[in-house]
Amino acid sequence: AMAATQFTIENMKPQADEIIKELLAKCEGDDWPSAGEKEGVKIYKKDIPGGNVKALKGTGIIEGDIEKMFEFTKQTEHIKKWDPLFKRGEIVQTLDEWTDIIHVVYSSGVPMVSNRDFVYLEARRKLEDGTYVVAVKSVVHPGAPEGKDVRGELSSCGWVLRPTEGNKVNVFYVLHLDPKGWIPKAVASGVSGDEALCVARLRKLVAA
């Protein structure tokens, strides 16, 4: 893939820092209406006016090695294990060991509805208090493949892994996306919040 000259870590670092900040704010925000609890994951959903935008958050405690959780949540190698709609992904450009431009394809999960693909900046950090963050947000990159899939748009979302006492980690997963293109109204409005169960799937992975 063609490396665009403006996509250097120096140029992209302010944006990467911003995405991390935005994701942390969403995790800490208490303005998310509760949508119940399932499999030990508290689920929150926000109604965003206009279009089919969905915003949800899952949070739960996972016991285990935080570095292992971080490995499972970063880049694309393991997404399939915690998100069944994931089809494939690749790194378009590596900016440094904590930052990549990534292209992914997801099944819409609905017959007759096109796959969705996304191109995003992934910013990873280990904060001073030991918290790990994997934050993503859509970007336009000339090296990203153009296919027949519908290009969706991600607002800042991702994973925050916050160590608590003992071997316990407070895990947050935020999904905030506009699927663009056509989606049946029933599907768009009937988002079950099951995407938040990625937290429960991560728990199973870490326990394995």
Side-chain angles (χ1 to χ4, degrees), residues 169-186:
V169 178
N170 199 1
V171 174
F172 297 84
Y173 175 69
V174 173
L175 181 64
H176 187 167
L177 71 87
D178 184 343
K180 304 288 185 188
W182 179 79
I183 283 196
K185 255 300 170 235

Side-chain angles (χ1 to χ4, degrees), residues 10 23 70 74 82 88-90 97 101 153 156 159 168 172 190 192 196:
E10 292 73 32
L23 176 60
F70 179 60
K74 71 181 200 183
W82 49 261
R88 62 182 186 276
E90 71 222 313
E97 61 174 318
I101 306 288
E153 189 177 342
S156 46
W159 294 88
K168 294 191 171 85
F172 297 84
S192 56

Side-chain angles (χ1 to χ4, degrees), residues 24 27 62 65-74 125 127 129-134 159-164 169-173 202:
L24 287 168
C27 289
I62 299 182
D65 178 0
I66 194 168
E67 303 227 341
K68 191 172 167 187
M69 293 175 209
F70 179 60
E71 282 303 316
F72 276 130
T73 52
K74 71 181 200 183
R125 294 274 188 285
L127 307 181
D129 65 358
T131 296
Y132 281 93
V133 184
V134 178
W159 294 88
V160 174
L161 313 169
R162 187 162 277 158
T164 59
V169 178
N170 199 1
V171 174
F172 297 84
Y173 175 69
L202 180 64

